Structures are given as structure tokens and as C-alpha cells.
Amino acid sequence: SGQPFFWLGDTAWELFHRLKRDEADRYLSNRAAKGFTVIQAVALYAAALREPNAYGEWPLIDHDPARPNPRYFEHVDFVVNRAAELGLFVGMLPTWGNHWKAGKLFTPETARTYGEFLGRRYRGKPIIWILGGDHNVETTEERAIIDAMAEGLRHGDGGEHLITFHPRGPGLSSTQLHDAPWLDFNMYQSSHAAHDHDNGLFAEHDYQLQPPKPTLDGEPRYEQIPVGFYFRDWNRMDRFDDYDVRRAAYWSLLAGACGHTYGHNSIWQMWSPGK
């Protein structure tokens, strides 16, 4: 529309997988009230071949990416539609990276079919596509799968939605994919390694590239996640706090990022006792 848009994202990777509808409604209403604009969630989550969703539905029939389960995606529909009612965009990852990495589940052909299915299904909805899923493109075969999935999304939704790529951290989509014609804007992951990791340097790097594309931190240090994933002593654990979160946001934004994503160690996984 040409109107300014600020990406204030929340990390909800397991939203479609672990929450029932009343829980999803509670979560989305909370985030809308707080002023978030984008909810980042994964359609084909990391454990998709090991665990069904909260209603016992698997995302794929016989684990075949060319055969999405309609009953599973009816639940995804509910979440997307509720987000739309609340004025939220869904930054939807078609799949977590472990499923396309090294051709474990997808081929270029099935990636294109699956992408077209999602594009058609969510045409007209407030969606931003996020390829990748915490994994990097390292081979020509992997690049072919990602390119094919993007082509399928474009064909399915008529090109109406933006597409970006969520890399493994610390890393940048621009180092692998800046030249991709489907990549509308860059995303970097500054990740969770240290209190003083200057994520503004990632934004500075991206704005020196041609052609210029917007960029943002799609996964900075999460509030309450152990620094450097150091889990050995729960009683003396060094965790990121609200100060760390604010500093990452300001460093990135003041370097020119077009938005920022918040993350909390309990929220991204939709933690509950026993999970």
C-alpha cells in the first residue's frame, strides 16, 4: 500500500503446534494489546515427524510434503484468521530448516508443490513468508529446494506477500541469498551467544550491499535464555534479561533496521509443565 510499517515481531515458533485454539487466542490477544505487529510461527515445525499438534493432527499425510493434512491446516487457518482480526501479520515459516536441509524431506519438486499449496491457501491473508528456519543454504541442491519453495509461494499467492529468509545464527540471509530475485528484504539472526554482541553491525553490513534491501534482526538474544546456551548449573545460570533485550533492539534499530523481533525463552516454545 505504500504506507509505513514497523516490524515489531514476537517469536512464537511453536504456536501452530503446541497451542489449542483458546490458548492461541489468549496469546494473540496479549501480543496485539502490547503493540506487536508480526507473529513469527512455523507451519511445519521442527518435530513435525515426531509429534502431532495439540489436537493430535499431523501436518503431512504419511509425512509426504506433497500431501498436507487438511485438518491440521484448518487449525493454522484459525490462528491466521484470528491474527488478522487483531491487526497482526503472521510471519509464517513454511517449514523449519531441518526438513529441507540436505534434502531430508523436500526435493525441489515437493518444495514447489508445498509452497504453492501455502501460497494459494493464504492468498489475501496478512502473511509474510519466512524461508530458512535456523538453517543456512550451503549446497546447490539446498539452494534449488529453497528457490523452488519460493517460486511455489509466488505462484500460489500471485506474488502478493513479501518473502525473507531466517538464517542460522549468528548469520545473515544476505551472505547466501542477497541476489535471489524472490528475497524482498534481508533478515539476520544475532542469536544468543553473548551480552555484548553488537547486532547493529549486521544492519550496517546489509546496507552496504547492492541492490539495497531493508533488513532486520529476526532472532536476537531471547529474554531468559541461558547466555551461550550454557545449561549446566540451573541455580547459577547466566540468563539474558530485559536490559539485554532492549540493548539489542536499540543497537539494531539505530543502525537502520526496518524493525526488530522480540523473543522469550518460554514463549517461543509455548512452554508448559512436561514440555
Side-chain angles (χ1 to χ4, degrees), residues 247-267:
R247 182 161 63 171
Y250 273 81
W251 279 354
S252 184
L253 290 168
L254 292 175
C258 65
H260 189 73
T261 298
Y262 170 78
H264 192 288
N265 193 39
S266 298
I267 297 298

Side-chain angles (χ1 to χ4, degrees), residues 132-269:
D134 203 29
H135 286 68
N136 296 328
V137 173
E138 295 177 306
T139 67
T140 55
E141 291 79 8
E142 291 170 357
R143 177 64 186 265
I145 291 170
I146 291 298
D147 283 345
M149 192 172 294
E151 291 165 5
L153 292 170
R154 283 275 191 258
H155 189 263
D157 70 11
E160 72 175 29
H161 296 126
L162 298 173
I163 303 179
T164 188
F165 183 94
H166 172 249
R168 193 166 185 82
L172 308 88
S173 65
S174 60
T175 59
Q176 312 155 49
L177 298 162
H178 189 74
D179 65 331
W182 50 262
L183 189 80
D184 295 305
F185 63 100
N186 278 304
M187 179 177 282
Y188 47 93
Q189 179 188 166
S190 59
S191 198
H192 321 282
H195 290 280
D196 58 353
H197 190 174
D198 187 353
N199 54 347
L201 296 175
F202 288 134
E204 180 180 332
H205 168 275
D206 282 355
Y207 284 127
Q208 295 177 20
L209 302 176
Q210 293 296 325
K213 295 182 178 182
T215 191
L216 64 91
D217 196 339
E219 186 174 335
R221 38 196 176 264
Y222 291 163
E223 190 167 1
Q224 288 300 304
I225 203 169
V227 178
F229 302 104
Y230 189 82
F231 286 94
R232 293 186 183 179
D233 187 341
W234 289 93
N235 295 318
R236 301 176 60 188
M237 192 176 293
D238 181 20
R239 296 174 182 263
F240 293 115
D241 60 17
D242 58 330
Y243 175 81
D244 295 301
V245 168
R246 288 194 300 274
R247 182 161 63 171
Y250 273 81
W251 279 354
S252 184
L253 290 168
L254 292 175
C258 65
H260 189 73
T261 298
Y262 170 78
H264 192 288
N265 193 39
S266 298
I267 297 298
W268 74 261
Q269 58 185 301

Side-chain angles (χ1 to χ4, degrees), residues 1-65:
S1 67
Q3 298 300 309
F5 177 77
F6 183 74
W7 177 302
L8 181 57
D10 191 35
T11 309
W13 299 138
E14 295 276 11
L15 172 60
F16 300 129
H17 170 210
R18 284 193 166 171
L19 297 193
K20 293 188 175 181
R21 294 186 180 186
D22 60 329
E23 296 169 326
D25 179 70
R26 177 186 176 195
Y27 164 75
L28 293 171
S29 298
N30 178 283
R31 270 22 198 174
K34 286 179 165 65
F36 287 95
T37 60
V38 179
I39 303 299
Q40 297 176 199
V42 190
L44 191 62
Y45 49 91
L49 305 185
R50 302 192 308 273
E51 300 173 11
N53 71 2
Y55 293 101
E57 297 293 341
W58 297 88
L60 306 175
I61 297 171
D62 295 331
H63 300 332
D64 182 353

Side-chain angles (χ1 to χ4, degrees), residues 22-153:
D22 60 329
E23 296 169 326
D25 179 70
R26 177 186 176 195
Y27 164 75
L28 293 171
S29 298
N30 178 283
R31 270 22 198 174
K34 286 179 165 65
F36 287 95
T37 60
V38 179
I39 303 299
Q40 297 176 199
V42 190
L44 191 62
Y45 49 91
L49 305 185
R50 302 192 308 273
E51 300 173 11
N53 71 2
Y55 293 101
E57 297 293 341
W58 297 88
L60 306 175
I61 297 171
D62 295 331
H63 300 332
D64 182 353
R67 299 175 65 200
N69 178 4
R71 292 179 63 84
Y72 175 89
F73 281 94
E74 287 171 6
H75 178 59
V76 177
D77 296 346
F78 170 85
V79 176
V80 170
N81 290 333
R82 183 63 182 131
E85 292 170 357
L86 293 165
L88 295 165
F89 280 76
V90 176
M92 187 184 293
L93 284 71
T95 176
W96 200 243
N98 61 313
H99 298 307
W100 60 261
K101 188 71 177 174
K104 288 182 180 177
L105 181 63
F106 285 96
T107 65
E109 292 72 25
T110 57
R112 185 177 291 102
T113 299
Y114 178 64
E116 188 170 346
F117 160 79
L118 289 176
R120 273 197 321 272
R121 192 173 189 98
Y122 298 110
R123 190 168 186 167
K125 303 295 183 181
I127 296 288
I128 301 167
W129 300 118
I130 306 175
L131 298 179
D134 203 29
H135 286 68
N136 296 328
V137 173
E138 295 177 306
T139 67
T140 55
E141 291 79 8
E142 291 170 357
R143 177 64 186 265
I145 291 170
I146 291 298
D147 283 345
M149 192 172 294
E151 291 165 5
L153 292 170

